[in-house]
Amino acid sequence: MSQRTPVRGSMTSRLSLVGGFILLLIIVGIGLSTMKYVQVDEGQAAIELVQGRIVAVHGPGPIFRPFAPFTEIELVNIRRQSRQISQNVASSDKQLYDIDIQVDFRRLPTEQALRSAYAEIGVSDAQLNDFLDGFINDALKSASTQFTLDEALSDRGAFAERIRRFLTAPPGDGQRAPVDQLYITIEAVKVLDIKVGETYAQLLAEKANLEVQIETEQKRRQQIEAQQANNLFQAEQEALVALTRERGITAAALEAANREAQVRAIEGRYWRENPELFELRKRELLVQMMTNGNIWFVDPNTNLTLLLNNQAGEGQALVIPQPGAGQSVTPPAPTEPSVNP
């Protein structure tokens, strides 16, 4: 009996040690099985939930939670994403066409926005895209009815801006704007393509040709108008030069006539005041007449002063009748000259 007691004690201690080791392994296994470790990358956020309740929102970095059997960590994509939508719509002028657009967006990265988005629409990108696609389709239908097909083709920027406005502005019936309902922000809206039918495409081609012809005719008309304006300007300048020249010639002629009249007036005064000078002038002309060999017969009633002045520069001789006895040598009153052969 004294020999079996130590053996039983050692076996008991070994069993206790093995049991403790097994218990430790069980605890470690439970800890490892319930441990949570998540690596959050740039462009992501993590929502930590305990029994379905949000306890924290984490940014980029590692998250480690040992012994967390009731903890869940959801990753949320906050990168920029794109949605492309193709739809057949009708314009305000009742034309059907296909349009392709692209909407770039991202989730709001704030903690409050992520909490609200998780509570309302979850964190799944697929679920978010379904909601956003519905709003984009509604925006397309609304925007297409406010543009004619020509306006949509010629001003895609305005069309895209109208879609953005629909997505970012409240509808006016007390509801929140689509971006507020989805907790996102719109980065860009682009109209990728607008496809029309063959008939309308042919009409557009004809319209483009007509526009080119109209533009060509307008340029040609502008050139003609510019040429006409240039010709008119040149004609005005030539007329102005001619008028200026004629005015100068007229002024010079008037000045010469004025001076000649003054000279003749002075000569006439001298002849009236000096009969001897008048008689001397007649004799000079008689001598000149005899020298040239031309004889003119003048009516006695002719204004000799005027006649002599006219003939003085021509180098012609005149026969002047001499006054009779007792007659005055004063020149007669001015009359129109008459020359008789």
mmCIF file with all atom_site columns, all heavy atoms in Angstrom, residues 202-223:
data_model
loop_
_atom_site.group_PDB
_atom_site.id
_atom_site.type_symbol
_atom_site.label_atom_id
_atom_site.label_alt_id
_atom_site.label_comp_id
_atom_site.label_asym_id
_atom_site.label_entity_id
_atom_site.label_seq_id
_atom_site.pdbx_PDB_ins_code
_atom_site.Cartn_x
_atom_site.Cartn_y
_atom_site.Cartn_z
_atom_site.occupancy
_atom_site.B_iso_or_equiv
_atom_site.pdbx_formal_charge
_atom_site.auth_seq_id
_atom_site.auth_comp_id
_atom_site.auth_asym_id
_atom_site.auth_atom_id
_atom_site.pdbx_PDB_model_num
ATOM 1   N N   . GLN A 1 202 ? -29.800 61.573 -92.173  1.00 0.00 ? 202 GLN A N   1
ATOM 2   C CA  . GLN A 1 202 ? -29.741 62.139 -93.514  1.00 0.00 ? 202 GLN A CA  1
ATOM 3   C C   . GLN A 1 202 ? -30.208 63.589 -93.517  1.00 0.00 ? 202 GLN A C   1
ATOM 4   O O   . GLN A 1 202 ? -29.621 64.451 -94.186  1.00 0.00 ? 202 GLN A O   1
ATOM 5   C CB  . GLN A 1 202 ? -30.586 61.307 -94.471  1.00 0.00 ? 202 GLN A CB  1
ATOM 6   C CG  . GLN A 1 202 ? -30.517 61.769 -95.923  1.00 0.00 ? 202 GLN A CG  1
ATOM 7   C CD  . GLN A 1 202 ? -31.317 60.875 -96.859  1.00 0.00 ? 202 GLN A CD  1
ATOM 8   O OE1 . GLN A 1 202 ? -31.912 59.894 -96.409  1.00 0.00 ? 202 GLN A OE1 1
ATOM 9   N NE2 . GLN A 1 202 ? -31.336 61.210 -98.121  1.00 0.00 ? 202 GLN A NE2 1
ATOM 10  N N   . LEU A 1 203 ? -31.269 63.860 -92.753  1.00 0.00 ? 203 LEU A N   1
ATOM 11  C CA  . LEU A 1 203 ? -31.742 65.244 -92.650  1.00 0.00 ? 203 LEU A CA  1
ATOM 12  C C   . LEU A 1 203 ? -30.686 66.137 -92.015  1.00 0.00 ? 203 LEU A C   1
ATOM 13  O O   . LEU A 1 203 ? -30.490 67.288 -92.428  1.00 0.00 ? 203 LEU A O   1
ATOM 14  C CB  . LEU A 1 203 ? -33.034 65.287 -91.828  1.00 0.00 ? 203 LEU A CB  1
ATOM 15  C CG  . LEU A 1 203 ? -34.261 64.650 -92.468  1.00 0.00 ? 203 LEU A CG  1
ATOM 16  C CD1 . LEU A 1 203 ? -35.435 64.689 -91.496  1.00 0.00 ? 203 LEU A CD1 1
ATOM 17  C CD2 . LEU A 1 203 ? -34.635 65.368 -93.768  1.00 0.00 ? 203 LEU A CD2 1
ATOM 18  N N   . LEU A 1 204 ? -29.993 65.598 -91.026  1.00 0.00 ? 204 LEU A N   1
ATOM 19  C CA  . LEU A 1 204 ? -28.932 66.378 -90.386  1.00 0.00 ? 204 LEU A CA  1
ATOM 20  C C   . LEU A 1 204 ? -27.797 66.663 -91.364  1.00 0.00 ? 204 LEU A C   1
ATOM 21  O O   . LEU A 1 204 ? -27.228 67.768 -91.365  1.00 0.00 ? 204 LEU A O   1
ATOM 22  C CB  . LEU A 1 204 ? -28.392 65.627 -89.163  1.00 0.00 ? 204 LEU A CB  1
ATOM 23  C CG  . LEU A 1 204 ? -29.314 65.539 -87.945  1.00 0.00 ? 204 LEU A CG  1
ATOM 24  C CD1 . LEU A 1 204 ? -28.654 64.730 -86.843  1.00 0.00 ? 204 LEU A CD1 1
ATOM 25  C CD2 . LEU A 1 204 ? -29.675 66.922 -87.434  1.00 0.00 ? 204 LEU A CD2 1
ATOM 26  N N   . ALA A 1 205 ? -27.478 65.669 -92.199  1.00 0.00 ? 205 ALA A N   1
ATOM 27  C CA  . ALA A 1 205 ? -26.426 65.890 -93.197  1.00 0.00 ? 205 ALA A CA  1
ATOM 28  C C   . ALA A 1 205 ? -26.837 66.971 -94.190  1.00 0.00 ? 205 ALA A C   1
ATOM 29  O O   . ALA A 1 205 ? -26.041 67.853 -94.544  1.00 0.00 ? 205 ALA A O   1
ATOM 30  C CB  . ALA A 1 205 ? -26.117 64.586 -93.919  1.00 0.00 ? 205 ALA A CB  1
ATOM 31  N N   . GLU A 1 206 ? -28.099 66.922 -94.639  1.00 0.00 ? 206 GLU A N   1
ATOM 32  C CA  . GLU A 1 206 ? -28.581 67.952 -95.556  1.00 0.00 ? 206 GLU A CA  1
ATOM 33  C C   . GLU A 1 206 ? -28.587 69.321 -94.888  1.00 0.00 ? 206 GLU A C   1
ATOM 34  O O   . GLU A 1 206 ? -28.234 70.335 -95.515  1.00 0.00 ? 206 GLU A O   1
ATOM 35  C CB  . GLU A 1 206 ? -29.985 67.588 -96.034  1.00 0.00 ? 206 GLU A CB  1
ATOM 36  C CG  . GLU A 1 206 ? -30.034 66.329 -96.901  1.00 0.00 ? 206 GLU A CG  1
ATOM 37  C CD  . GLU A 1 206 ? -31.451 65.953 -97.285  1.00 0.00 ? 206 GLU A CD  1
ATOM 38  O OE1 . GLU A 1 206 ? -32.381 66.660 -96.840  1.00 0.00 ? 206 GLU A OE1 1
ATOM 39  O OE2 . GLU A 1 206 ? -31.633 64.980 -98.042  1.00 0.00 ? 206 GLU A OE2 1
ATOM 40  N N   . LYS A 1 207 ? -28.988 69.329 -93.640  1.00 0.00 ? 207 LYS A N   1
ATOM 41  C CA  . LYS A 1 207 ? -28.987 70.599 -92.909  1.00 0.00 ? 207 LYS A CA  1
ATOM 42  C C   . LYS A 1 207 ? -27.569 71.150 -92.779  1.00 0.00 ? 207 LYS A C   1
ATOM 43  O O   . LYS A 1 207 ? -27.338 72.358 -92.927  1.00 0.00 ? 207 LYS A O   1
ATOM 44  C CB  . LYS A 1 207 ? -29.597 70.401 -91.529  1.00 0.00 ? 207 LYS A CB  1
ATOM 45  C CG  . LYS A 1 207 ? -29.599 71.649 -90.679  1.00 0.00 ? 207 LYS A CG  1
ATOM 46  C CD  . LYS A 1 207 ? -30.147 71.380 -89.297  1.00 0.00 ? 207 LYS A CD  1
ATOM 47  C CE  . LYS A 1 207 ? -30.072 72.637 -88.433  1.00 0.00 ? 207 LYS A CE  1
ATOM 48  N NZ  . LYS A 1 207 ? -30.557 72.375 -87.049  1.00 0.00 ? 207 LYS A NZ  1
ATOM 49  N N   . ALA A 1 208 ? -26.609 70.254 -92.512  1.00 0.00 ? 208 ALA A N   1
ATOM 50  C CA  . ALA A 1 208 ? -25.221 70.702 -92.397  1.00 0.00 ? 208 ALA A CA  1
ATOM 51  C C   . ALA A 1 208 ? -24.730 71.292 -93.716  1.00 0.00 ? 208 ALA A C   1
ATOM 52  O O   . ALA A 1 208 ? -24.041 72.317 -93.734  1.00 0.00 ? 208 ALA A O   1
ATOM 53  C CB  . ALA A 1 208 ? -24.334 69.534 -91.963  1.00 0.00 ? 208 ALA A CB  1
ATOM 54  N N   . ASN A 1 209 ? -25.108 70.645 -94.843  1.00 0.00 ? 209 ASN A N   1
ATOM 55  C CA  . ASN A 1 209 ? -24.715 71.178 -96.150  1.00 0.00 ? 209 ASN A CA  1
ATOM 56  C C   . ASN A 1 209 ? -25.333 72.545 -96.406  1.00 0.00 ? 209 ASN A C   1
ATOM 57  O O   . ASN A 1 209 ? -24.670 73.459 -96.930  1.00 0.00 ? 209 ASN A O   1
ATOM 58  C CB  . ASN A 1 209 ? -25.130 70.201 -97.253  1.00 0.00 ? 209 ASN A CB  1
ATOM 59  C CG  . ASN A 1 209 ? -24.331 68.912 -97.210  1.00 0.00 ? 209 ASN A CG  1
ATOM 60  O OD1 . ASN A 1 209 ? -23.194 68.900 -96.747  1.00 0.00 ? 209 ASN A OD1 1
ATOM 61  N ND2 . ASN A 1 209 ? -24.921 67.825 -97.676  1.00 0.00 ? 209 ASN A ND2 1
ATOM 62  N N   . LEU A 1 210 ? -26.605 72.689 -96.044  1.00 0.00 ? 210 LEU A N   1
ATOM 63  C CA  . LEU A 1 210 ? -27.256 73.987 -96.213  1.00 0.00 ? 210 LEU A CA  1
ATOM 64  C C   . LEU A 1 210 ? -26.595 75.053 -95.348  1.00 0.00 ? 210 LEU A C   1
ATOM 65  O O   . LEU A 1 210 ? -26.420 76.204 -95.789  1.00 0.00 ? 210 LEU A O   1
ATOM 66  C CB  . LEU A 1 210 ? -28.747 73.870 -95.859  1.00 0.00 ? 210 LEU A CB  1
ATOM 67  C CG  . LEU A 1 210 ? -29.612 73.081 -96.855  1.00 0.00 ? 210 LEU A CG  1
ATOM 68  C CD1 . LEU A 1 210 ? -31.031 72.962 -96.317  1.00 0.00 ? 210 LEU A CD1 1
ATOM 69  C CD2 . LEU A 1 210 ? -29.619 73.744 -98.228  1.00 0.00 ? 210 LEU A CD2 1
ATOM 70  N N   . GLU A 1 211 ? -26.237 74.680 -94.133  1.00 0.00 ? 211 GLU A N   1
ATOM 71  C CA  . GLU A 1 211 ? -25.572 75.648 -93.260  1.00 0.00 ? 211 GLU A CA  1
ATOM 72  C C   . GLU A 1 211 ? -24.233 76.081 -93.835  1.00 0.00 ? 211 GLU A C   1
ATOM 73  O O   . GLU A 1 211 ? -23.862 77.262 -93.758  1.00 0.00 ? 211 GLU A O   1
ATOM 74  C CB  . GLU A 1 211 ? -25.388 75.042 -91.867  1.00 0.00 ? 211 GLU A CB  1
ATOM 75  C CG  . GLU A 1 211 ? -26.691 74.882 -91.090  1.00 0.00 ? 211 GLU A CG  1
ATOM 76  C CD  . GLU A 1 211 ? -26.472 74.222 -89.738  1.00 0.00 ? 211 GLU A CD  1
ATOM 77  O OE1 . GLU A 1 211 ? -25.354 73.718 -89.503  1.00 0.00 ? 211 GLU A OE1 1
ATOM 78  O OE2 . GLU A 1 211 ? -27.421 74.199 -88.928  1.00 0.00 ? 211 GLU A OE2 1
ATOM 79  N N   . VAL A 1 212 ? -23.512 75.117 -94.430  1.00 0.00 ? 212 VAL A N   1
ATOM 80  C CA  . VAL A 1 212 ? -22.242 75.465 -95.066  1.00 0.00 ? 212 VAL A CA  1
ATOM 81  C C   . VAL A 1 212 ? -22.476 76.412 -96.236  1.00 0.00 ? 212 VAL A C   1
ATOM 82  O O   . VAL A 1 212 ? -21.751 77.409 -96.417  1.00 0.00 ? 212 VAL A O   1
ATOM 83  C CB  . VAL A 1 212 ? -21.507 74.190 -95.527  1.00 0.00 ? 212 VAL A CB  1
ATOM 84  C CG1 . VAL A 1 212 ? -20.293 74.549 -96.373  1.00 0.00 ? 212 VAL A CG1 1
ATOM 85  C CG2 . VAL A 1 212 ? -21.073 73.366 -94.321  1.00 0.00 ? 212 VAL A CG2 1
ATOM 86  N N   . GLN A 1 213 ? -23.502 76.135 -97.052  1.00 0.00 ? 213 GLN A N   1
ATOM 87  C CA  . GLN A 1 213 ? -23.801 77.012 -98.183  1.00 0.00 ? 213 GLN A CA  1
ATOM 88  C C   . GLN A 1 213 ? -24.209 78.398 -97.711  1.00 0.00 ? 213 GLN A C   1
ATOM 89  O O   . GLN A 1 213 ? -23.783 79.421 -98.281  1.00 0.00 ? 213 GLN A O   1
ATOM 90  C CB  . GLN A 1 213 ? -24.904 76.386 -99.035  1.00 0.00 ? 213 GLN A CB  1
ATOM 91  C CG  . GLN A 1 213 ? -24.501 75.095 -99.727  1.00 0.00 ? 213 GLN A CG  1
ATOM 92  C CD  . GLN A 1 213 ? -25.640 74.475 -100.512 1.00 0.00 ? 213 GLN A CD  1
ATOM 93  O OE1 . GLN A 1 213 ? -26.714 75.064 -100.611 1.00 0.00 ? 213 GLN A OE1 1
ATOM 94  N NE2 . GLN A 1 213 ? -25.419 73.293 -101.057 1.00 0.00 ? 213 GLN A NE2 1
ATOM 95  N N   . ILE A 1 214 ? -25.034 78.431 -96.670  1.00 0.00 ? 214 ILE A N   1
ATOM 96  C CA  . ILE A 1 214 ? -25.464 79.736 -96.143  1.00 0.00 ? 214 ILE A CA  1
ATOM 97  C C   . ILE A 1 214 ? -24.268 80.512 -95.614  1.00 0.00 ? 214 ILE A C   1
ATOM 98  O O   . ILE A 1 214 ? -24.134 81.722 -95.852  1.00 0.00 ? 214 ILE A O   1
ATOM 99  C CB  . ILE A 1 214 ? -26.520 79.524 -95.033  1.00 0.00 ? 214 ILE A CB  1
ATOM 100 C CG1 . ILE A 1 214 ? -27.817 78.974 -95.644  1.00 0.00 ? 214 ILE A CG1 1
ATOM 101 C CG2 . ILE A 1 214 ? -26.782 80.825 -94.289  1.00 0.00 ? 214 ILE A CG2 1
ATOM 102 C CD1 . ILE A 1 214 ? -28.858 78.585 -94.617  1.00 0.00 ? 214 ILE A CD1 1
ATOM 103 N N   . GLU A 1 215 ? -23.403 79.820 -94.901  1.00 0.00 ? 215 GLU A N   1
ATOM 104 C CA  . GLU A 1 215 ? -22.213 80.498 -94.368  1.00 0.00 ? 215 GLU A CA  1
ATOM 105 C C   . GLU A 1 215 ? -21.328 81.015 -95.500  1.00 0.00 ? 215 GLU A C   1
ATOM 106 O O   . GLU A 1 215 ? -20.794 82.133 -95.429  1.00 0.00 ? 215 GLU A O   1
ATOM 107 C CB  . GLU A 1 215 ? -21.435 79.534 -93.487  1.00 0.00 ? 215 GLU A CB  1
ATOM 108 C CG  . GLU A 1 215 ? -20.228 80.166 -92.805  1.00 0.00 ? 215 GLU A CG  1
ATOM 109 C CD  . GLU A 1 215 ? -19.510 79.193 -91.889  1.00 0.00 ? 215 GLU A CD  1
ATOM 110 O OE1 . GLU A 1 215 ? -19.978 78.038 -91.792  1.00 0.00 ? 215 GLU A OE1 1
ATOM 111 O OE2 . GLU A 1 215 ? -18.502 79.592 -91.296  1.00 0.00 ? 215 GLU A OE2 1
ATOM 112 N N   . THR A 1 216 ? -21.207 80.198 -96.576  1.00 0.00 ? 216 THR A N   1
ATOM 113 C CA  . THR A 1 216 ? -20.404 80.633 -97.724  1.00 0.00 ? 216 THR A CA  1
ATOM 114 C C   . THR A 1 216 ? -21.009 81.865 -98.385  1.00 0.00 ? 216 THR A C   1
ATOM 115 O O   . THR A 1 216 ? -20.295 82.822 -98.733  1.00 0.00 ? 216 THR A O   1
ATOM 116 C CB  . THR A 1 216 ? -20.289 79.492 -98.747  1.00 0.00 ? 216 THR A CB  1
ATOM 117 O OG1 . THR A 1 216 ? -19.716 78.339 -98.107  1.00 0.00 ? 216 THR A OG1 1
ATOM 118 C CG2 . THR A 1 216 ? -19.426 79.898 -99.917  1.00 0.00 ? 216 THR A CG2 1
ATOM 119 N N   . GLU A 1 217 ? -22.332 81.858 -98.556  1.00 0.00 ? 217 GLU A N   1
ATOM 120 C CA  . GLU A 1 217 ? -22.999 83.014 -99.166  1.00 0.00 ? 217 GLU A CA  1
ATOM 121 C C   . GLU A 1 217 ? -22.879 84.251 -98.283  1.00 0.00 ? 217 GLU A C   1
ATOM 122 O O   . GLU A 1 217 ? -22.722 85.374 -98.782  1.00 0.00 ? 217 GLU A O   1
ATOM 123 C CB  . GLU A 1 217 ? -24.476 82.683 -99.412  1.00 0.00 ? 217 GLU A CB  1
ATOM 124 C CG  . GLU A 1 217 ? -24.703 81.689 -100.549 1.00 0.00 ? 217 GLU A CG  1
ATOM 125 C CD  . GLU A 1 217 ? -24.206 82.221 -101.882 1.00 0.00 ? 217 GLU A CD  1
ATOM 126 O OE1 . GLU A 1 217 ? -24.313 83.445 -102.104 1.00 0.00 ? 217 GLU A OE1 1
ATOM 127 O OE2 . GLU A 1 217 ? -23.701 81.429 -102.695 1.00 0.00 ? 217 GLU A OE2 1
ATOM 128 N N   . GLN A 1 218 ? -22.971 84.054 -96.978  1.00 0.00 ? 218 GLN A N   1
ATOM 129 C CA  . GLN A 1 218 ? -22.816 85.191 -96.073  1.00 0.00 ? 218 GLN A CA  1
ATOM 130 C C   . GLN A 1 218 ? -21.422 85.798 -96.178  1.00 0.00 ? 218 GLN A C   1
ATOM 131 O O   . GLN A 1 218 ? -21.265 87.025 -96.210  1.00 0.00 ? 218 GLN A O   1
ATOM 132 C CB  . GLN A 1 218 ? -23.106 84.745 -94.638  1.00 0.00 ? 218 GLN A CB  1
ATOM 133 C CG  . GLN A 1 218 ? -24.574 84.466 -94.359  1.00 0.00 ? 218 GLN A CG  1
ATOM 134 C CD  . GLN A 1 218 ? -24.814 83.999 -92.931  1.00 0.00 ? 218 GLN A CD  1
ATOM 135 O OE1 . GLN A 1 218 ? -23.873 83.649 -92.222  1.00 0.00 ? 218 GLN A OE1 1
ATOM 136 N NE2 . GLN A 1 218 ? -26.066 83.970 -92.517  1.00 0.00 ? 218 GLN A NE2 1
ATOM 137 N N   . LYS A 1 219 ? -20.409 84.930 -96.250  1.00 0.00 ? 219 LYS A N   1
ATOM 138 C CA  . LYS A 1 219 ? -19.049 85.447 -96.400  1.00 0.00 ? 219 LYS A CA  1
ATOM 139 C C   . LYS A 1 219 ? -18.897 86.168 -97.738  1.00 0.00 ? 219 LYS A C   1
ATOM 140 O O   . LYS A 1 219 ? -18.251 87.222 -97.817  1.00 0.00 ? 219 LYS A O   1
ATOM 141 C CB  . LYS A 1 219 ? -18.050 84.303 -96.299  1.00 0.00 ? 219 LYS A CB  1
ATOM 142 C CG  . LYS A 1 219 ? -17.929 83.708 -94.902  1.00 0.00 ? 219 LYS A CG  1
ATOM 143 C CD  . LYS A 1 219 ? -16.872 82.625 -94.858  1.00 0.00 ? 219 LYS A CD  1
ATOM 144 C CE  . LYS A 1 219 ? -16.735 82.072 -93.446  1.00 0.00 ? 219 LYS A CE  1
ATOM 145 N NZ  . LYS A 1 219 ? -15.713 80.988 -93.378  1.00 0.00 ? 219 LYS A NZ  1
ATOM 146 N N   . ARG A 1 220 ? -19.502 85.584 -98.795  1.00 0.00 ? 220 ARG A N   1
ATOM 147 C CA  . ARG A 1 220 ? -19.420 86.233 -100.108 1.00 0.00 ? 220 ARG A CA  1
ATOM 148 C C   . ARG A 1 220 ? -20.122 87.590 -100.084 1.00 0.00 ? 220 ARG A C   1
ATOM 149 O O   . ARG A 1 220 ? -19.611 88.569 -100.642 1.00 0.00 ? 220 ARG A O   1
ATOM 150 C CB  . ARG A 1 220 ? -20.059 85.323 -101.166 1.00 0.00 ? 220 ARG A CB  1
ATOM 151 C CG  . ARG A 1 220 ? -20.032 85.879 -102.579 1.00 0.00 ? 220 ARG A CG  1
ATOM 152 C CD  . ARG A 1 220 ? -20.526 84.835 -103.574 1.00 0.00 ? 220 ARG A CD  1
ATOM 153 N NE  . ARG A 1 220 ? -20.667 85.389 -104.894 1.00 0.00 ? 220 ARG A NE  1
ATOM 154 C CZ  . ARG A 1 220 ? -21.747 86.003 -105.346 1.00 0.00 ? 220 ARG A CZ  1
ATOM 155 N NH1 . ARG A 1 220 ? -22.808 86.120 -104.553 1.00 0.00 ? 220 ARG A NH1 1
ATOM 156 N NH2 . ARG A 1 220 ? -21.791 86.496 -106.568 1.00 0.00 ? 220 ARG A NH2 1
ATOM 157 N N   . ARG A 1 221 ? -21.291 87.648 -99.427  1.00 0.00 ? 221 ARG A N   1
ATOM 158 C CA  . ARG A 1 221 ? -22.000 88.925 -99.337  1.00 0.00 ? 221 ARG A CA  1
ATOM 159 C C   . ARG A 1 221 ? -21.182 89.936 -98.547  1.00 0.00 ? 221 ARG A C   1
ATOM 160 O O   . ARG A 1 221 ? -21.129 91.126 -98.905  1.00 0.00 ? 221 ARG A O   1
ATOM 161 C CB  . ARG A 1 221 ? -23.356 88.703 -98.657  1.00 0.00 ? 221 ARG A CB  1
ATOM 162 C CG  . ARG A 1 221 ? -24.234 89.951 -98.617  1.00 0.00 ? 221 ARG A CG  1
ATOM 163 C CD  . ARG A 1 221 ? -25.463 89.699 -97.794  1.00 0.00 ? 221 ARG A CD  1
ATOM 164 N NE  . ARG A 1 221 ? -25.112 89.449 -96.406  1.00 0.00 ? 221 ARG A NE  1
ATOM 165 C CZ  . ARG A 1 221 ? -25.997 89.139 -95.460  1.00 0.00 ? 221 ARG A CZ  1
ATOM 166 N NH1 . ARG A 1 221 ? -27.259 89.016 -95.781  1.00 0.00 ? 221 ARG A NH1 1
ATOM 167 N NH2 . ARG A 1 221 ? -25.609 88.938 -94.224  1.00 0.00 ? 221 ARG A NH2 1
ATOM 168 N N   . GLN A 1 222 ? -20.552 89.476 -97.484  1.00 0.00 ? 222 GLN A N   1
ATOM 169 C CA  . GLN A 1 222 ? -19.712 90.387 -96.704  1.00 0.00 ? 222 GLN A CA  1
ATOM 170 C C   . GLN A 1 222 ? -18.556 90.916 -97.535  1.00 0.00 ? 222 GLN A C   1
ATOM 171 O O   . GLN A 1 222 ? -18.200 92.098 -97.436  1.00 0.00 ? 222 GLN A O   1
ATOM 172 C CB  . GLN A 1 222 ? -19.200 89.658 -95.458  1.00 0.00 ? 222 GLN A CB  1
ATOM 173 C CG  . GLN A 1 222 ? -20.281 89.338 -94.442  1.00 0.00 ? 222 GLN A CG  1
ATOM 174 C CD  . GLN A 1 222 ? -19.767 88.499 -93.285  1.00 0.00 ? 222 GLN A CD  1
ATOM 175 O OE1 . GLN A 1 222 ? -18.599 88.105 -93.272  1.00 0.00 ? 222 GLN A OE1 1
ATOM 176 N NE2 . GLN A 1 222 ? -20.617 88.213 -92.316  1.00 0.00 ? 222 GLN A NE2 1
ATOM 177 N N   . GLN A 1 223 ? -17.962 90.028 -98.357  1.00 0.00 ? 223 GLN A N   1
ATOM 178 C CA  . GLN A 1 223 ? -16.880 90.494 -99.226  1.00 0.00 ? 223 GLN A CA  1
ATOM 179 C C   . GLN A 1 223 ? -17.378 91.523 -100.229 1.00 0.00 ? 223 GLN A C   1
ATOM 180 O O   . GLN A 1 223 ? -16.709 92.536 -100.486 1.00 0.00 ? 223 GLN A O   1
ATOM 181 C CB  . GLN A 1 223 ? -16.261 89.301 -99.957  1.00 0.00 ? 223 GLN A CB  1
ATOM 182 C CG  . GLN A 1 223 ? -15.504 88.333 -99.048  1.00 0.00 ? 223 GLN A CG  1
ATOM 183 C CD  . GLN A 1 223 ? -14.983 87.129 -99.786  1.00 0.00 ? 223 GLN A CD  1
ATOM 184 O OE1 . GLN A 1 223 ? -15.285 86.930 -100.968 1.00 0.00 ? 223 GLN A OE1 1
ATOM 185 N NE2 . GLN A 1 223 ? -14.195 86.300 -99.113  1.00 0.00 ? 223 GLN A NE2 1
#
